[in-house]
Amino acid sequence: QLSQRLMKVAEYVQQGAVVADIGSDHAYLPCHLVHIGTASRAVAGEIVKGPYESARKQVHEEGLNDKIVVRLAPGLEAVEPEDGVTAVTIAGMGGTLIASILAEGNHRLDGVERLILQPNIHAQAIRQWAVDNDWHIVAEDILKEKDKIYEIIVLEPSPHRVELDAKQLLFGPFLLKSRGETFKEKWQRESTQWKAIAERMDKAEETPDIRTKKEQLLQKIALMEEV
Ligand code: SAM
């Protein structure tokens, strides 16, 4: 049984897509997408040998060798132009890592119509990458599973730069609009943490580095209180 988190990611993959799942681990997501008929074919990319072997085993056991190719490669290097990939999924990593995978493999995104990204933390890094690289957010989602809260960001290419303000970058333009219960819970949790950190910083000796970090934190707390 696939996690609710990956089920939710799967919901945003377009019908008939050729999917590249980067950091696929056991390749559960591409196997599911091919099984339910959403994806016609898929590439599962892994940078680490162990998970790569697990992915190969899984694809083989599910009888999907003719539909899913598993490649040992860093980030989007798993994608070849002849794959004709139209959707990329990257889930279960930090937003900063996801953004760096996209930045490094930007030239491999030609022909990709949709990115479905699920950062565990720091989704802001992905939104910033999107603004700077002419992708725009078409949907966002948030869910709680086993007491952890996850965000999903769906991007499509945009003919021009779509700016986001500080609040939209941090909270997400769509999530900010809907302000659901899980969204509120996430930011209440974060603000409790931020306040505790700010308090500890108050007690620490003030170096320029700590001062900058504290200013950033206070700025976030101020945005949070506004929202
Ligand atoms: N995507 C799956 C999920 O959401 O359940 C697995 C998430 S797992 C926590 C992260 C996986 O990404 C690991 O298997 C790790 O080896 C892989 N990974 C990390 N950095 C990567 C990179 N630059 N390129 C490809 N895979 C990477």
Side-chain angles (χ1 to χ4, degrees):
Q1 177 69 39
L2 200 65
S3 62
Q4 283 174 39
R5 175 180 61 83
L6 288 179
M7 283 280 199
K8 202 41 131 187
V9 170
E11 281 177 26
Y12 289 96
V13 176
Q14 63 277 36
Q15 183 61 38
V18 178
V19 179
D21 182 44
I22 305 301
S24 200
D25 199 357
H26 284 77
Y28 291 141
L29 180 58
C31 287
H32 171 73
L33 285 167
V34 170
H35 271 314
I36 62 173
T38 299
S40 53
R41 288 181 290 118
V43 175
E46 246 303 328
I47 197 173
V48 177
K49 197 84 192 281
Y52 161 77
E53 299 291 357
S54 311
R56 287 189 45 145
K57 189 162 166 261
Q58 190 68 29
V59 169
H60 180 73
E61 281 175 5
E62 297 202 29
L64 294 174
N65 279 329
D66 57 336
K67 296 269 175 69
I68 302 177
V69 50
V70 183
R71 297 200 183 113
L72 184 64
L76 289 162
E77 281 184 35
V79 177
E80 302 292 346
E82 51 276 20
D83 294 330
V85 166
T86 59
V88 173
T89 53
I90 312 179
M93 303 176 205
T96 310
L97 178 56
I98 294 177
S100 76
I101 289 175
L102 295 170
E104 279 162 29
N106 211 346
H107 56 289
R108 292 189 186 241
L109 292 175
D110 285 350
V112 175
E113 295 159 8
R114 202 168 239 228
L115 306 175
I116 302 101
L117 311 167
Q118 183 270 299
N120 289 342
I121 54 164
H122 211 71
Q124 178 165 6
I126 293 174
R127 297 191 185 101
Q128 188 63 61
W129 176 86
V131 169
D132 294 338
N133 292 278
D134 295 348
W135 288 76
H136 73 293
I137 303 176
V138 295
E140 287 176 316
D141 215 323
I142 189 161
L143 77 148
K144 186 160 108 173
E145 183 174 32
K146 293 188 180 152
D147 208 44
K148 284 202 179 130
I149 295 177
Y150 302 101
E151 282 175 65
I152 293 168
I153 302 176
V154 184
L155 301 176
E156 287 183 0
S158 163
H160 52 80
R161 187 178 166 99
V162 180
E163 293 291 348
L164 296 174
D165 63 27
K167 252 191 243 170
Q168 291 173 320
L169 278 172
L170 185 59
F171 300 104
F174 285 80
L175 297 174
L176 198 53
K177 260 192 211 145
S178 43
R179 288 175 207 226
E181 280 312 306
T182 312
F183 173 84
K184 286 184 197 152
E185 187 176 346
K186 174 188 164 76
W187 293 105
Q188 268 153 9
R189 287 182 187 186
E190 295 265 338
S191 100
T192 309
Q193 278 178 13
W194 294 345
K195 284 178 183 160
I197 297 170
E199 238 169 66
R200 259 181 274 142
M201 280 180 172
D202 275 339
K203 288 183 193 137
E205 201 183 324
E206 199 177 69
T207 63
D209 189 39
I210 287 198
R211 197 175 312 136
T212 321
K213 284 219 175 95
K214 199 176 153 195
E215 273 163 16
Q216 286 171 348
L217 205 58
L218 292 177
Q219 214 180 340
K220 281 207 288 190
I221 293 173
L223 282 179
M224 164 77 211
E225 309 235 292
E226 252 184 80
V227 165

